[in-house]
Amino acid sequence: MPAIAKVKNFVKDQSFVVIDAGSNKSLAAGALFELRRGNSIVGRIKISETIEAEEAIADVDPKSIPPGVEIVPGDDVIQVVSNF
């Protein structure tokens, strides 16, 4: 599954990420994506209302992050492929 964006920043205490894609990639508020590192899914995000041309904010579903895993800059944003 090709990445459509990458995580630029993760704000853990407010549970959101900044990604390096926005309206330039036709992202829309409410769209769901997964975060991938290597071959592993490390979380699920939902695009917020804050979408600029080349950047967007997405809320992280804290229950989707496996125990002991941290979201880090560089994680891939991909289409949802799993049901967890």
Side-chain angles (χ1 to χ4, degrees), residues 1-7 20-21 25 33-38 74-79:
M1 175 81 50
I4 61 158
K6 293 209 178 272
V7 172
D20 67 357
K25 298 277 182 146
F33 295 96
E34 289 182 331
L35 300 176
R36 177 183 65 197
R37 184 177 315 134
D75 285 344
D76 291 329
V77 178
I78 63 169
Q79 296 290 332

Side-chain angles (χ1 to χ4, degrees), residues 26-72:
S26 301
L27 295 183
L32 296 174
F33 295 96
E34 289 182 331
L35 300 176
R36 177 183 65 197
R37 184 177 315 134
N39 293 323
S40 301
I41 300 299
V42 296
R44 186 172 277 183
I45 61 172
K46 181 178 182 180
I47 305 298
S48 76
E49 298 290 329
T50 306
I51 303 171
E52 296 179 0
E54 297 184 7
E55 190 172 88
I57 304 292
D59 296 314
V60 176
D61 176 359
K63 295 177 288 198
S64 71
I65 302 173
V69 172
E70 283 268 332
I71 295 170
V72 296

Side-chain angles (χ1 to χ4, degrees), residues 6-35:
K6 293 209 178 272
V7 172
K8 290 175 67 173
N9 193 18
F10 174 47
V11 181
K12 185 176 180 178
D13 61 336
Q14 295 178 25
S15 198
F16 73 86
V17 292
V18 179
I19 63 172
D20 67 357
S23 58
N24 62 337
K25 298 277 182 146
S26 301
L27 295 183
L32 296 174
F33 295 96
E34 289 182 331
L35 300 176

